[in-house]
Short mmCIF file of all heavy atoms in Angstrom, two decimals:
data_model
loop_
_atom_site.label_atom_id
_atom_site.label_comp_id
_atom_site.label_asym_id
_atom_site.label_seq_id
_atom_site.Cartn_x
_atom_site.Cartn_y
_atom_site.Cartn_z
N GLN A 1556 17.74 2.80 -15.91
CA GLN A 1556 18.51 2.71 -14.67
C GLN A 1556 18.50 1.31 -14.14
O GLN A 1556 19.49 0.85 -13.53
CB GLN A 1556 18.06 3.80 -13.69
CG GLN A 1556 16.68 3.66 -13.15
CD GLN A 1556 16.40 4.65 -12.01
OE1 GLN A 1556 16.68 5.86 -12.11
NE2 GLN A 1556 15.87 4.18 -10.89
N CYS A 1557 17.39 0.56 -14.32
CA CYS A 1557 17.32 -0.81 -13.84
C CYS A 1557 18.32 -1.72 -14.62
O CYS A 1557 18.82 -2.70 -14.10
CB CYS A 1557 15.92 -1.38 -14.03
SG CYS A 1557 14.73 -0.72 -12.89
N SER A 1558 18.61 -1.34 -15.87
CA SER A 1558 19.43 -2.17 -16.77
C SER A 1558 20.91 -1.90 -16.67
O SER A 1558 21.68 -2.53 -17.41
CB SER A 1558 19.01 -1.97 -18.24
OG SER A 1558 17.66 -2.19 -18.36
N VAL A 1559 21.31 -1.01 -15.77
CA VAL A 1559 22.74 -0.76 -15.61
C VAL A 1559 23.38 -2.05 -15.04
O VAL A 1559 22.79 -2.72 -14.18
CB VAL A 1559 23.01 0.42 -14.64
CG1 VAL A 1559 24.47 0.52 -14.24
CG2 VAL A 1559 22.58 1.71 -15.32
N ALA A 1560 24.49 -2.41 -15.59
CA ALA A 1560 25.23 -3.63 -15.11
C ALA A 1560 26.41 -3.19 -14.26
O ALA A 1560 27.21 -2.33 -14.70
CB ALA A 1560 25.71 -4.43 -16.31
N MET A 1561 26.52 -3.75 -13.09
CA MET A 1561 27.62 -3.45 -12.20
C MET A 1561 27.97 -4.69 -11.35
O MET A 1561 27.15 -5.55 -11.14
CB MET A 1561 27.30 -2.31 -11.23
CG MET A 1561 27.22 -0.91 -11.90
SD MET A 1561 26.54 0.36 -10.84
CE MET A 1561 27.94 0.70 -9.73
N SER A 1562 29.23 -4.73 -10.90
CA SER A 1562 29.67 -5.83 -10.05
C SER A 1562 29.45 -5.49 -8.56
O SER A 1562 29.26 -4.33 -8.24
CB SER A 1562 31.17 -6.11 -10.31
OG SER A 1562 31.90 -5.02 -9.83
N CYS A 1563 29.59 -6.51 -7.72
CA CYS A 1563 29.55 -6.26 -6.31
C CYS A 1563 30.61 -5.23 -5.87
O CYS A 1563 30.32 -4.34 -5.05
CB CYS A 1563 29.78 -7.56 -5.52
SG CYS A 1563 28.49 -8.77 -5.65
N GLU A 1564 31.78 -5.41 -6.41
CA GLU A 1564 32.89 -4.46 -6.07
C GLU A 1564 32.49 -3.00 -6.45
O GLU A 1564 32.68 -2.11 -5.64
CB GLU A 1564 34.18 -4.81 -6.84
CG GLU A 1564 34.82 -6.13 -6.35
CD GLU A 1564 36.04 -6.52 -7.14
OE1 GLU A 1564 36.39 -5.78 -8.13
OE2 GLU A 1564 36.68 -7.55 -6.79
N GLN A 1565 31.98 -2.85 -7.67
CA GLN A 1565 31.57 -1.45 -8.08
C GLN A 1565 30.46 -0.91 -7.25
O GLN A 1565 30.43 0.27 -6.88
CB GLN A 1565 31.17 -1.49 -9.59
CG GLN A 1565 32.36 -1.76 -10.48
CD GLN A 1565 31.92 -2.07 -11.94
OE1 GLN A 1565 30.86 -2.60 -12.15
NE2 GLN A 1565 32.74 -1.72 -12.88
N LEU A 1566 29.45 -1.74 -6.95
CA LEU A 1566 28.34 -1.28 -6.14
C LEU A 1566 28.73 -0.87 -4.74
O LEU A 1566 28.31 0.15 -4.18
CB LEU A 1566 27.22 -2.31 -6.10
CG LEU A 1566 26.25 -2.31 -7.30
CD1 LEU A 1566 25.39 -3.53 -7.32
CD2 LEU A 1566 25.37 -1.06 -7.33
N ALA A 1567 29.54 -1.74 -4.16
CA ALA A 1567 30.01 -1.48 -2.75
C ALA A 1567 30.79 -0.12 -2.74
O ALA A 1567 30.52 0.73 -1.88
CB ALA A 1567 30.87 -2.60 -2.21
N ARG A 1568 31.64 0.04 -3.70
CA ARG A 1568 32.47 1.31 -3.76
C ARG A 1568 31.56 2.50 -3.96
O ARG A 1568 31.70 3.54 -3.34
CB ARG A 1568 33.43 1.16 -4.95
CG ARG A 1568 34.04 2.46 -5.48
CD ARG A 1568 35.00 3.07 -4.52
NE ARG A 1568 35.49 4.41 -4.94
CZ ARG A 1568 34.90 5.57 -4.65
NH1 ARG A 1568 33.81 5.59 -3.97
NH2 ARG A 1568 35.47 6.72 -5.09
#
Side-chain angles (χ1 to χ4, degrees):
Q1556 66 171 49
C1557 289
S1558 305
V1559 169
M1561 287 171 76
S1562 66
C1563 291
E1564 290 178 358
Q1565 290 168 330
L1566 276 168
R1568 160 70 184 91

